[in-house]
């Protein structure tokens, strides 16, 4: 049974991750998942009053003052916010920044100590294991060697043994911990002491790396509060005062300064000449939006102009950036759960083997009366069937795959992510920054027969010099970069939402969109207009040309999409950009399906549709707005050049910003999964053969040794084939 609790006075995501981990280990709790932005604990298990008290005691031992309770607001800490003038606020902000830095540094230190605590038993076990091998093989001191083997096994396998005992008490029997215990105890009974210790050693190393990557990712994904604005300047009477974001109400007037992040959704006031707004956090578009009085803007966007006023239309908790933060956590929680192979295998194989061993011991004994013979046979059966080879080789295949990927700049956050990618049947890409460069450039220049391309750029660039519009800045920048001469116009007038009117060399020049041309009765040539932002240029009432500015596609995008199709994957593009731009890029890249003008929740909905149609889906993106869908997809892949939240939400990070990285990752995952299945089939086939020979009366220690150690070595050699990287870069 799952129950949701609220956790108060928790301000640190790092502490939240430690609390989550500690609660998950308590008696009676099956799982604990913390939704840090919403301060909600999803607890699964049989929770009594005593358990809740123990949960609070455990949480307080990590972060004093934290309280876990059922009421959402009953115990929330209330902050009193004094109104400060700007200079006072700046001082407070600096102090807060210093405190935040010290707090962050402290937790990095704590994390280092935690890692050292995990490494200590691993190193101690390694030393004991080395001592046992020396005493056994070189000095031939068996009693000492046996003692060291047992000590090394207990140190390295302590977590596995305690987890097995805990799960047995909770009624959870057939998991990988129980399988590990059966396998290694069976190896001890067989006298294969090095193998028993070696199994727990490699298992411990793999678990350490995977747990470290997963816990680091989980701590990061919950720390989305940096996207929100803690305080904002709100008009109170005749002056602006600073209040906490939670106190912002619908109808309040905010002052947004240059470089400031907008705290709540609202409508711009007092900006007749337009303000530039960076909207990439919300819709991923690289080109800043120029907004005017009466235009709506969303929270999370950043002002790139001088200060302006914003009338709030939605409280901070209902604004877009809060929705994105909640969507990340919700999508992560609702993401299809993927058990590791060893967990699924243990649930089937272990009970089958134990049942067969019990049958061998009991049924023939009842018939013949020779209990000692058949109990010994059952024990031999159990020893031969111990899946040490699989326990070693299958995780090693995944670790080898992760290692090969890292050589190519592809960072998987655990074996489950690699396995999930191997099962992916559809790959969806974001557009901006993923399939395209995310930069604004002139992609097409067309003249209508009266001027040259250079003259067209010179006319347009000269008139656009006084404008702060991103399109105007790109055109003038292009002219300066290419030494195209510019002339100062006699007069200029910026026309909101349409373009600019100017007088240049005694001629009336209009530079703007199709609407501006239509208002001035200027005829435009027929034909298809290229996708992007189109600036028409007209001189003395006659159109002389147009300049198209758009995002350029990456060189490897089309090849990457084609390669994914060859691997049997359906491809799609999900973007917040306009339909015309999306269609142009999608067609050029060759993707199968194109979905445009999507907000974060829309992208997540499209991912769910693709999953319903084709099966497991991978999404590749790089923006803050991609975080929910990265968390919600079966596999989320983020470009390393992208936003921090996107990197944190992803299952795999590509150090290269080229989409071909997704192809390489898919190839590695496919090969890893194929080798893992080869190992499973070969090991089980050999096990079956030896067991059949044993039942036919031909038990042989050589068969048993080959079925265990020999097969293990063969499968290990097969697993490391994944490490080669040449096949993935073709």
């Amino acid at each position: 049974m799952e129950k949701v609790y609220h956790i108060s006075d928790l301000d640190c995501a790092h502490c939240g991750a430690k609390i989550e981990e500690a609660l998950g280990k308590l008696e009676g709790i099956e799982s604990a998942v913390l939704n840090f932005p919403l301060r909600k604990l999803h607890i699964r298990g049989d929770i009594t009053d005593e358990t809740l008290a123990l949960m609070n005691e455990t949480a307080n031992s990590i972060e004093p003052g934290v309280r876990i309770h059922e009421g959402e607001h009953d115990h929330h800490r209330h902050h009193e916010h004094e109104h400060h003038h700007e200079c006072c606020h700046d001082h407070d902000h600096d102090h807060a920044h210093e405190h935040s830095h010290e707090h962050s540094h402290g937790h990095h230190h704590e994390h280092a100590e935690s890692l050292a605590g995990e490494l200590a038993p691993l190193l101690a076990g390694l030393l004991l294991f080395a001592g046992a091998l020396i005493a056994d093989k070189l000095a031939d001191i068996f009693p000492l060697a046996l003692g060291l083997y047992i000590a090394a096994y207990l140190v390295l396998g302590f977590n596995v043994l305690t987890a097995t005992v805990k799960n047995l008490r909770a009624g959870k029997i057939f998991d990988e911990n129980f399988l590990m215990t059966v396998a290694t105890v069976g190896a001890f009974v067989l006298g294969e002491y090095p193998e028993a210790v070696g199994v727990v050693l490699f298992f411990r190393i793999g678990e350490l790396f995977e747990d470290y990557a997963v816990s680091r990712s989980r701590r990061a994904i919950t720390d989305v509060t940096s996207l929100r604005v803690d305080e904002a300047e709100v008009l109170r009477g005749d002056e602006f005062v600073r209040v906490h974001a939670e106190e912002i109400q619908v109808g309040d007037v905010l002052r947004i300064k240059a470089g400031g992040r907008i705290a709540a959704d609202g409508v711009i006031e007092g900006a007749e000449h337009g303000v530039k707004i960076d909207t990439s956090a919300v819709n991923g578009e690289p080109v800043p939006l120029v907004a005017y009085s009466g235009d709506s803007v969303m929270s999370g966007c950043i002002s790139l102009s001088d200060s302006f006023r914003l009338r709030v239309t939605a409280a901070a908790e209902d604004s877009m950036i809060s929705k994105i933060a909640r969507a990340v956590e919700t999508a992560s929680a609702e993401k299809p759960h993927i058990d590791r192979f060893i967990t699924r295998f243990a649930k089937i194989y272990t009970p089958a083997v134990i049942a067969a061993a019990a049958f061998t011991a009991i049924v023939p004994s009842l018939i013949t009366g020779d209990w000692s013979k058949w109990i010994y046979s059952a024990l031999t059966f159990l020893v031969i069937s111990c899946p040490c080879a699989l326990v070693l080789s299958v995780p090693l295949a995944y670790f080898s795959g992760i290692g090969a990927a890292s050589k190519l700049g592809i960072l998987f956050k655990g074996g489950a992510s690699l396995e999930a990618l191997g099962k992916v049947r559809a790959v969806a890409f974001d557009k901006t920054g993923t399939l395209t460069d995310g930069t604004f450039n002139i992609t097409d220049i067309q003249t209508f027969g009266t001027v040259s391309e250079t003259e067209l750029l010179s006319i347009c660039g000269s008139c656009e010099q006084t404008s702060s519009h991103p399109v105007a800045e790109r055109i003038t920048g292009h002219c300066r970069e290419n030494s195209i001469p510019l002339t100062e116009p006699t007069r200029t007038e910026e026309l909101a939402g349409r373009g600019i009117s100017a007088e240049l060399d005694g001629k009336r020049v209009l530079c703007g969109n199709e609407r501006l041309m239509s208002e001035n009765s200027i005829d435009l040539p027929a034909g298809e207009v290229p996708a992007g932002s189109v600036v028409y240029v007209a001189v003395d009432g006659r159109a002389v040309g147009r300049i198209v500015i758009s995002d350029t596609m990456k060189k490897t995008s089309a090849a990457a999409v084609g390669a994914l199709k060859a691997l049997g994957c359906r491809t799609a593009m999900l973007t917040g950009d306009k339909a015309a731009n999306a269609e142009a890029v999608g067609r050029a890249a060759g993707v199968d399906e194109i979905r445009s003008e999507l907000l974060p929740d829309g992208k997540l909905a499209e991912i769910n549709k693709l999953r319903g149609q084709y099966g497991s889906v991978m999404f590749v993106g790089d923006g803050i707005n991609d975080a929910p869908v990265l968390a919600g997809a079966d596999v989320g892949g983020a470009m390393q050049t992208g936003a921090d939240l996107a990197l944190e939400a992803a299952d795999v990070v590509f150090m290269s910003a080229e989409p071909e990285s997704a192809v390489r990752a898919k190839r590695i995952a496919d090969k890893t999964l194929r080798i893992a299945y080869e190992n499973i089939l070969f090991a089980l086939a050999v096990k079956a053969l030896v067991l059949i020979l044993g039942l036919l009366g031909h038990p042989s220690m050589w068969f048993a040794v080959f079925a265990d150690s020999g097969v293990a070595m063969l499968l290990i050699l097969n697993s490391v084939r994944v490490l080669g990287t040449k096949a993935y870069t073709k």
Side-chain angles (χ1 to χ4, degrees), residues 55 266 293 375 387 404 410 446 459 487 499 521 525 534 562 596 598 632:
M55 288 164 55
S293 292
I375 288 175
I410 301 167
Q446 295 180 351
I459 293 169
T487 305
S521 302
V534 182
S596 58
L598 299 172

Side-chain angles (χ1 to χ4, degrees), residues 338-375:
I338 300 172
D339 282 330
R340 290 173 299 178
F341 162 77
I342 198 68
T343 302
R344 299 195 306 275
F345 175 76
K347 290 177 180 177
I348 300 172
Y349 185 81
T350 306
V353 166
I354 292 175
F359 180 87
T360 303
I362 297 172
V363 175
S365 298
L366 290 174
I367 297 173
T368 64
D370 192 350
W371 286 88
S372 60
K373 174 185 176 181
W374 290 107
I375 288 175

